[in-house]
Amino acid sequence: MNYTYTFCFALGGLWLGQLPGAVVGGFIGFMIDKLSVKRHQRYTDVDGFIEPLFALMGAVAKSDGRVSEAEIAATERMMARMNLGAVLRQRAVASFNRGKQPEFDINPVIHALHQWVGMYRARALPVLDMVLEGVLAGGNPSSRKMTILRQLAQTLRVSDMELMAMMAMKGYVWQADERGRGSAYASGGGHYVPPTCDSQEHDPYAVLGIAVDVDDRAVKRAYRKLISRHHPDRLGNLPAEMRQRAEVRAREINAAYDRIKAQRGFK
């Protein structure tokens, strides 16, 4: 435990009120140090999101009626990348199976993920990316899978445009129809077009979540906003898997921005 606040408040109390002031100040500082430790543990403890994450992934996989082999394989790969020990892996598997049950309620686990993320919005994106991997594991996602994904995004305060940008990084591009023009998720307003076999590069404008005809200032503003939220340094001490996802996202965003700059000729 770090006693920085304890020392500083005790020193300040000593200066203001001699020994009694030092005692009171030290106690106040100690309580602040104690709360800081609890807050740090809350946001770095991998246990805090394992069960809700894999329960939600189980619900996503089962949402269209059948859990495919591809979805099971994707979940197993994620467990392997997260380097879960025997106990945590057992809990993850049990949570995934629980999420597959017909009457499973996704609201408590989405709320649990929201509580784990807390006020650190940058940490919401790797969590959402993990669930997105499950959503896309079986190919072009069903409307039910996308509904669950959007509910999670809204709860974690990730906008539709940011979610569209994340989908674009996977090669999926939103195609709006007449009713959906101007609104990405208007009822019946469009659909995602899956990546084709000959897709070589992602649309850089879709990756930044902007239209092709925006001005240079809007491009720069969108880039700064995205890179600040996806930058690994804003995640703190979190599991390596989440940090790696943030690093991949940051590279995608930088690459998209570089392509747009080269096309437009600005620095």
Side-chain angles (χ1 to χ4, degrees), residues 67-157:
V67 180
S68 68
E69 293 182 1
E71 289 167 327
I72 294 174
T75 304
E76 291 177 343
R77 286 195 300 271
M78 186 176 297
M79 292 180 190
R81 290 198 306 269
M82 294 176 72
N83 295 317
L84 300 182
V87 175
L88 282 179
R89 182 181 175 83
Q90 186 176 18
R91 286 167 53 184
V93 171
S95 297
F96 183 82
N97 290 332
R98 181 164 56 91
K100 295 190 300 181
Q101 300 307 307
E103 303 302 322
F104 182 76
D105 183 4
I106 65 172
N107 293 303
V109 294
I110 288 179
H111 177 71
L113 290 172
H114 179 240
Q115 289 294 104
W116 186 83
V117 167
M119 297 180 65
Y120 293 84
R121 294 189 65 199
R123 296 172 178 175
L125 297 169
V127 171
L128 188 63
D129 189 41
M130 289 180 173
V131 178
L132 177 58
E133 185 172 328
V135 168
L136 301 179
N140 202 26
S142 65
S143 59
R144 177 56 184 158
K145 282 183 169 65
M146 291 305 303
T147 297
I148 296 174
L149 184 67
R150 288 197 293 271
Q151 181 179 343
L152 175 64
Q154 290 167 4
T155 302
L156 298 182
R157 295 181 297 164

Side-chain angles (χ1 to χ4, degrees), residues 196-202:
T196 58
C197 295
D198 57 351
S199 296
Q200 297 296 319
E201 293 181 315
H202 303 152

Side-chain angles (χ1 to χ4, degrees), residues 159-236:
S159 69
D160 285 348
M161 292 302 294
E162 288 174 306
L163 181 56
M164 289 175 68
M166 294 180 74
M167 292 288 291
M169 293 179 198
K170 300 286 189 181
Y172 288 78
V173 179
W174 179 259
Q175 186 174 75
D177 60 22
E178 290 299 323
R179 288 178 297 172
R181 187 165 296 170
S183 177
Y185 295 125
S187 178
H191 61 281
Y192 275 106
V193 178
T196 58
C197 295
D198 57 351
S199 296
Q200 297 296 319
E201 293 181 315
H202 303 152
D203 178 356
Y205 291 92
V207 169
L208 296 188
I210 55 178
V212 178
D213 58 355
V214 300
D215 60 25
D216 293 351
R217 182 177 297 180
V219 173
K220 295 176 182 179
R221 184 167 57 247
Y223 166 74
R224 286 194 296 266
K225 179 180 178 181
L226 272 180
I227 199 64
S228 67
R229 291 202 60 188
H230 286 268
H231 201 284
D233 290 347
R234 300 197 62 182
L235 296 176

